[in-house]
Amino acid sequence: MPPPADILKVAIEWPGAFPKLMEIDQVSLPNHETYALQNADSTNFYITEKNRNNIKNGSILRLTTSPAQMAMQLYERVQSTSLDMKLDALKELANSSRDITFAQEFINLDGITLLVQMVESGTERYQKLQKMMKPCFGEMLSFTLTAFVELMDHGIISWDTFSVAFIKKIASFVCKSSMDSAVLQRSLAILESMVLNSQDLYQKVAQEITIGQLLPHLQGTDQDIQTYTIAVINALFLKAPEEKRQVHTHIHKHTLHEMAHILAQKQLRSIILQNVIRSTKPINDEMAHQLYMLQVLTFNLLEDRMMTKMDPQDQAQRDIIFELRRIAFDVECESNNSGSIEKRKSMYTRDYKKLGFINHVNPAVDFTQIPPGMLALDNMLYFARHHQDSYIRIVLENSSREDKHECPFGRSSIELTKMLCEILKVGELPSENCHDFHPMFFTHDRSFGEFFCICIQLLNKTWKEMRATSEDFNKVMQVVREQITRALTVKPNSLDQFKSRLQNLSYTEILKIRQSERMNQEDFQSRPILELREKIQPEIMELIKQQRLNRLCEGTCFRKISSRRRQDKFWYCRLSPNHKVLHYGDLEESPQGEVPHDSLQDKLPVADIKAVVTGKDCPHMKEKGALKQNKEVLELAFSILYESDEYLNFIAPDKHEYCMWTDGLNALLGKEMTSEFTRSDLDTLLNMEMKLRLLDLENIQIPEAPPPIPKEPSNYDFVYDCN
């Protein structure tokens, strides 16, 4: 009788014994409540009612001390006066704390408080021993902090319960120039968790540690330390904007401003670029995620300007527009005293039109749209000041064109800034699992401004390539978006590489890529296209079938293969024109063309064919000898089974002929043609047919659903009988 499905066979091991398959009932243990079962693997997790369903047949379990008993023992041992015993206990505690069952028991004993006290006061107690027992001290502190981190990661107790003294002590480990790497790593992890999990602790941590004190850790070679350091910077940075949105106080604004200033400093950017991004070590996933986080949070500093409308009455903001005009038309400027007010207004209106603003009279109105708000004006001014020649060239070049062909610089800049913010997701919180950082944004202090400058020149270039008019503005923006996103997918290492990539993505190249993708992916996935493809496929398969049968009618010359050796003897086989008979016969030599039916003595009616077998299933491949070891021959072998256990054996001259014949024979038998050549031909012919049928629908959006059938008319008086 088979055992019940809910009973598993497991092996039990205990100290001093090998794993043994046994029934738990056979184990006689006094004080059984002080024992428990544990996974005998690297996790050492306890078996509980919650996880016992995860046990598999054949698992090895360990009989060990119960979680409560183990927690009590370790609680007492970590307070031992013997350093060796204390170290062993802390090491075991750090390992056991990963198990939530044990963690709950240890926390119930107020174990967290004990570890905090050991960190706050214990380190001072062993200061004298630190010099002569530095390795022991470093290990002890490392295991203490590891146990603390593991226990807190279970989320059983709140982070808000810790004192300033504990925070200061952890911060001191981070600020020390020479600290054990394991201690430093755990300390950074604790600071990150404090900042992310407690609003109150964020303020306290920010007072104890600065970004400047973290920078030396980025200059080392330990990527784990670098990762945790950037994680702390990201955590501090992430909290500053959140608090600003929640409580608008002077302190929070000052904190955000200070963070923005520090992150904009060349020192931090260059250290990350040289010591992390351009390091010889490959960047692991966790580091890539932290760099992505830093990139997103840095760009989110632009959100304030992106969501700020321009005040048309603000003179300081209006002066920026005057500065754009002055740089572009410096030669044409006239003194404010010359001419009447009306004349000057007319001159300003003319220049603002040349600059490409929508509102020629008061361009400030163009920047009241959010997003991009004032960020667009900032980008335009940055371009005008730092790339003055390119700025003047674009403005003057477009102002000299016909009105309908000019690329409006002002309008383009506003829409482009909005587009770049969407591409880089400015204002959105970073994703938890994304690793999508771009090295080029770490190569310049004003990376977004430089990014805009490259893209606005691309937009002007694409406008000319498309020979666009004002009506084509949205189409041009769509092409530019595609050019930018495609260039970003290759992750350029510098802004110059990004610019070079854009040079290769001209409008003509984008059209080629679109056409290729439209036929291969996008359009062929829509429901109407799939339905059309399914409708056409039988016709194409019939076409392929006829081609295969025609090839069989032409016939093929095959070599005769013996079981002992290859001989230069040939035989020929071909299908009759009416597809009812296979004609075959021996030849003295390889023919130069088709062999007539009359010269082939043997016949095999198609109606007598029972099956077609290939490869190892062929009788001539099962014969003993060296032949069966030849893989190439094996892949070209097929046989026709007819009558009772009679075979006509083939070895095709090449893969093409093999596919032609196996497909043709399967078609004769009414079976599916499954060769790789059939799949390839079907795909090629289907795509070609689809392209021909969709020629008249280029640039037309095909609806997902057919149009609704109209209601029946109220009468049919309009129908006439012509008879």
Side-chain angles (χ1 to χ4, degrees):
M1 181 177 178
D6 58 348
I7 293 181
L8 301 174
K9 293 182 179 180
V10 298
I12 306 294
E13 69 174 21
W14 58 85
F18 290 104
K20 186 176 181 181
L21 192 65
M22 61 189 304
E23 300 213 2
I24 303 297
D25 296 358
Q26 296 174 348
V27 184
S28 178
L29 294 172
N31 302 321
H32 59 84
E33 65 275 0
T34 62
Y35 294 92
L37 289 175
Q38 192 179 57
N39 284 309
D41 55 18
S42 58
T43 63
N44 293 328
F45 287 170
Y46 281 99
I47 304 300
T48 65
E49 287 298 319
K50 292 183 179 179
N51 64 20
R52 68 187 182 93
N53 291 330
N54 297 331
I55 302 174
K56 307 295 183 186
N57 258 323
S59 297
I60 300 178
L61 306 180
R62 182 185 297 117
L63 184 65
T64 186
T65 311
S66 69
Q69 193 77 7
M70 178 66 74
M72 179 61 74
Q73 291 175 5
L74 289 176
Y75 185 84
E76 294 171 354
R77 286 168 56 197
V78 295
Q79 300 179 71
S80 172
T81 55
S82 168
L83 287 181
D84 290 338
M85 185 178 292
K86 191 183 191 77
L87 181 61
D88 290 341
L90 286 170
K91 185 175 182 179
E92 192 173 343
L93 176 63
N95 184 56
S96 299
S97 296
R98 294 177 299 164
D99 184 1
I100 191 171
T101 308
F102 170 85
Q104 184 69 66
E105 296 293 343
F106 191 79
I107 290 172
N108 290 342
L109 296 173
D110 208 11
I112 291 285
T113 303
L114 174 63
L115 294 179
V116 169
Q117 289 173 353
M118 290 173 61
V119 172
E120 290 178 358
S121 59
T123 53
E124 296 172 5
R125 186 183 305 168
Y126 298 113
Q127 276 181 347
K128 293 181 181 179
L129 296 171
Q130 184 175 357
K131 292 183 180 179
M132 54 183 174
M133 299 183 65
K134 189 172 182 180
C136 178
F137 171 80
E139 276 190 298
M140 193 177 297
L141 183 56
S142 170
F143 288 130
T144 304
L145 295 177
T146 301
F148 175 84
V149 170
E150 295 290 353
L151 291 169
M152 292 302 299
D153 279 349
H154 295 298
I156 297 172
I157 64 173
S158 171
W159 283 89
D160 289 309
T161 57
F162 301 110
S163 64
V164 175
F166 180 67
I167 298 172
K168 286 179 179 290
K169 183 62 67 174
I170 297 297
S172 70
F173 300 149
V174 173
C175 296
K176 284 183 181 178
S177 57
S178 58
M179 176 55 68
D180 182 81
S181 61
V183 173
L184 178 58
Q185 185 173 320
R186 303 297 184 274
S187 300
L188 289 167
I190 292 171
L191 289 178
E192 181 196 7
S193 297
M194 285 179 172
V195 172
L196 292 176
N197 291 289
S198 171
Q199 297 288 345
D200 184 47
L201 289 184
Y202 159 71
Q203 293 288 351
K204 295 175 181 177
V205 171
Q207 291 172 5
E208 295 298 326
I209 196 164
T210 64
I211 305 298
Q213 291 170 318
L214 296 172
L215 293 182
H217 302 314
L218 292 174
Q219 295 173 302
T221 57
D222 190 329
Q223 191 170 114
D224 289 334
I225 297 295
Q226 293 174 327
T227 303
Y228 278 104
T229 302
I230 297 178
V232 174
I233 294 173
N234 287 338
L236 290 168
F237 192 17
L238 186 62
K239 282 296 176 177
E242 282 187 355
E243 292 188 347
K244 185 191 175 220
R245 285 195 293 268
Q246 293 168 6
V247 187
H248 294 276
T249 66
H250 174 72
I251 294 177
H252 293 149
K253 288 183 180 179
H254 176 71
T255 303
L256 181 67
H257 175 75
E258 184 182 357
M259 289 295 299
H261 176 69
I262 291 171
L263 286 167
Q265 285 180 340
K266 184 177 181 180
Q267 187 182 14
L268 175 63
R269 179 192 59 77
S270 61
I271 287 175
I272 292 177
L273 180 65
Q274 297 300 329
N275 296 91
V276 179
I277 296 176
R278 292 181 177 172
S279 170
T280 54
K281 295 182 180 179
I283 294 176
N284 58 38
D285 287 345
E286 183 57 32
M287 174 60 84
H289 174 66
Q290 294 301 334
L291 290 173
Y292 154 78
M293 289 270 293
L294 184 58
Q295 172 186 291
V296 172
L297 294 171
T298 304
F299 282 139
N300 281 355
L301 291 171
L302 304 170
E303 183 183 9
D304 188 42
R305 294 293 284 174
M306 182 182 74
M307 301 306 293
T308 300
K309 292 183 180 181
M310 184 173 185
D311 182 2
Q313 306 305 320
D314 189 324
Q315 187 58 42
Q317 295 179 0
R318 291 170 63 86
D319 286 344
I320 299 177
I321 297 178
F322 293 151
E323 177 74 359
L324 291 173
R325 176 181 175 274
R326 184 195 65 76
I327 295 173
F329 308 113
D330 187 48
V331 179
E332 300 178 16
C333 278
E334 300 179 10
S335 172
N336 287 337
N337 297 325
S338 62
S340 64
I341 295 177
E342 292 298 326
K343 184 177 180 181
R344 288 205 306 273
K345 282 185 177 180
S346 174
M347 181 178 62
Y348 283 140
T349 300
R350 180 198 64 193
D351 290 347
Y352 291 149
K353 183 179 180 182
K354 289 181 179 180
L355 280 169
F357 291 113
I358 298 174
N359 192 316
H360 305 153
V361 178
N362 186 7
V365 177
D366 290 8
F367 300 97
T368 56
Q369 174 194 353
I370 55 171
M374 288 295 293
L375 183 59
L377 188 58
D378 294 342
N379 285 337
M380 293 169 70
L381 183 63
Y382 182 87
F383 182 48
R385 286 178 173 173
H386 294 85
H387 300 270
Q388 194 170 109
D389 291 343
S390 298
Y391 167 69
I392 294 173
R393 177 180 56 79
I394 287 177
V395 173
L396 297 182
E397 188 179 275
N398 285 290
S399 63
S400 62
R401 293 180 187 165
E402 297 179 22
D403 285 350
K404 66 176 183 177
H405 285 289
E406 66 178 358
C407 177
F409 174 73
R411 182 186 176 191
S412 298
S413 298
I414 293 169
E415 291 300 320
L416 179 63
T417 301
K418 182 179 178 182
M419 178 198 297
L420 297 182
C421 289
E422 291 172 355
I423 292 173
L424 298 178
K425 300 181 179 179
V426 175
E428 296 184 21
L429 289 176
S431 169
E432 289 293 330
N433 302 314
C434 187
H435 310 104
D436 190 23
F437 81 97
H438 295 277
M440 72 176 190
F441 291 128
F442 291 86
T443 63
H444 201 281
D445 296 333
R446 299 287 299 275
S447 58
F448 188 81
E450 290 295 320
F451 187 46
F452 170 83
C453 294
I454 294 172
C455 294
I456 192 65
Q457 294 178 72
L458 167 72
L459 193 153
N460 189 66
K461 172 176 170 285
T462 303
W463 184 282
K464 290 188 289 185
E465 290 175 348
M466 294 178 66
R467 299 178 182 177
T469 63
S470 54
E471 288 81 9
D472 301 320
F473 185 85
N474 290 333
K475 290 182 181 179
V476 175
M477 295 304 294
Q478 289 174 4
V479 173
V480 170
R481 175 187 282 269
E482 188 170 346
Q483 289 171 315
I484 294 170
T485 52
R486 287 186 182 278
L488 287 175
T489 55
V490 299
K491 301 289 182 64
N493 290 319
S494 66
L495 291 164
D496 287 336
Q497 285 187 15
F498 175 68
K499 192 186 298 184
S500 299
R501 175 62 179 160
L502 289 176
Q503 291 294 327
N504 298 327
L505 287 171
S506 63
Y507 175 58
T508 305
E509 184 64 24
I510 290 294
L511 287 181
K512 290 180 181 177
I513 294 172
R514 281 182 173 181
Q515 184 178 6
S516 175
E517 290 184 349
R518 184 185 300 120
M519 299 312 299
N520 294 331
Q521 297 175 3
E522 297 173 2
D523 284 356
F524 281 93
Q525 300 306 314
S526 64
R527 183 180 167 189
I529 300 300
L530 289 174
E531 290 179 357
L532 178 60
R533 190 181 177 94
E534 289 177 6
K535 185 177 180 180
I536 295 174
Q537 185 165 325
E539 302 175 18
I540 303 299
M541 286 301 295
E542 184 62 28
L543 184 64
I544 295 173
K545 176 183 175 182
Q546 292 302 321
Q547 189 271 338
R548 300 295 193 262
L549 294 176
N550 289 340
R551 182 70 191 84
L552 264 61
C553 290
E554 293 174 5
T556 302
C557 179
F558 298 94
R559 286 183 180 272
K560 276 197 170 184
I561 305 293
S562 71
S563 59
R564 296 182 181 179
R565 60 187 178 90
R566 185 162 185 156
Q567 301 171 341
D568 288 326
K569 290 188 177 180
F570 304 92
W571 68 288
Y572 199 89
C573 185
R574 64 181 297 181
L575 181 66
S576 63
N578 62 5
H579 301 169
K580 291 185 177 181
V581 179
L582 280 174
H583 298 266
Y584 62 97
D586 294 340
L587 300 175
E588 293 298 327
E589 58 182 7
S590 179
Q592 299 301 315
E594 289 186 16
V595 178
H597 294 91
D598 299 340
S599 61
L600 301 173
Q601 304 85 6
D602 300 312
K603 297 180 182 180
L604 173 61
V606 172
D608 292 345
I609 299 176
K610 294 182 178 179
V612 176
V613 294
T614 60
K616 293 180 180 179
D617 296 329
C618 298
H620 56 312
M621 293 294 107
K622 295 179 180 179
E623 296 174 5
K624 294 182 179 181
L627 183 62
K628 66 177 182 179
Q629 305 298 330
N630 191 330
K631 186 178 179 182
E632 289 185 9
V633 173
L634 194 66
E635 291 177 347
L636 298 176
F638 62 98
S639 300
I640 296 175
L641 171 62
Y642 62 99
E643 292 183 356
S644 57
D645 298 331
E646 293 290 330
Y647 286 90
L648 185 61
N649 298 321
F650 298 77
I651 299 290
D654 52 44
K655 190 69 175 177
H656 178 265
E657 289 297 326
Y658 170 83
C659 292
M660 293 296 108
W661 273 86
T662 52
D663 283 342
L665 291 171
N666 281 324
L668 284 174
L669 298 177
K671 296 182 179 179
E672 184 179 358
M673 298 181 292
T674 57
S675 76
E676 58 187 66
F677 274 74
T678 295
R679 292 193 296 270
S680 175
D681 290 347
L682 177 64
D683 190 54
T684 301
L685 293 171
L686 259 181
N687 288 341
M688 189 180 299
E689 183 67 20
M690 293 292 288
K691 289 177 183 179
L692 290 172
R693 296 200 181 197
L694 296 176
L695 274 177
D696 294 335
L697 298 178
E698 190 170 357
N699 297 325
I700 295 177
Q701 184 65 36
I702 301 174
E704 286 294 322
I709 299 174
K711 295 180 180 179
E712 289 191 15
S714 57
N715 60 70
Y716 292 87
D717 294 343
F718 56 86
V719 178
Y720 294 92
D721 187 356
C722 297
N723 298 326

